[in-house]
Amino acid sequence: MQRPRRSPTTPAACATPICPPTAYAVVAQVRAKPGKEDALRAITLSLVPQVRAEPNNLLYFLQESREAAGHFIFYEIFASQADFEAHNQTPHVQSWFARLPELADGGVTVIRMGILNNAATDR
């Protein structure tokens, strides 16, 4: 399956109802230590363009709770589980992980998700 080109109105290949059958989705969260919200936000925002530029990242959204500043949720889809694992080994992600003991209240919670109602797998 050829990956569609991204455009300003289509931020990722999975913005369409079809993701590759091997697509691997993750929801992750991290919470800032009190007083560290701005610092964690800054280093976390810097990840977004770097991860979106990874060749097998299909979708990457960073969100912050409206009720609890410094509570970040990531929604990520990679072409495969191997691509997700490789993403976690990239220098920019490893650098981000290295800052978490200073800035985050605990580590990252990761939930590995199956993609339902994916036209590529529902045929």
Side-chain angles (χ1 to χ4, degrees):
M1 166 181 272
Q2 187 173 5
R3 180 176 171 182
R5 294 186 58 85
R6 295 181 186 187
S7 75
T9 58
T10 306
C14 284
T16 65
I18 300 175
C19 290
T22 59
Y24 195 75
V26 171
V27 175
Q29 69 174 345
V30 64
R31 296 174 192 264
K33 289 181 178 178
K36 300 292 185 177
E37 296 87 355
D38 290 342
L40 183 57
R41 182 180 303 106
I43 68 162
T44 303
L45 280 169
S46 73
L47 283 178
V48 175
Q50 295 176 86
V51 174
R52 287 181 177 167
E54 292 175 26
N56 293 312
N57 171 255
L58 304 179
L59 184 95
Y60 189 81
F61 286 124
L62 171 64
Q63 298 138 114
E64 183 173 5
S65 171
R66 294 176 191 264
E67 289 82 31
H71 180 193
F72 300 98
I73 304 289
F74 303 82
Y75 184 70
E76 312 172 29
I77 301 179
F78 290 85
S80 69
Q81 181 177 356
D83 294 320
F84 172 70
E85 303 300 340
H87 151 78
N88 282 331
Q89 299 306 313
T90 61
H92 51 273
V93 173
Q94 286 295 305
S95 176
W96 183 81
F97 281 138
R99 298 286 309 276
L100 292 184
E102 166 196 353
L103 302 175
D105 187 10
V108 178
T109 302
V110 176
I111 304 168
R112 296 162 189 262
M113 309 294 290
I115 300 173
L116 303 179
N117 202 28
N118 179 14
T121 58
D122 293 341
R123 294 179 186 175

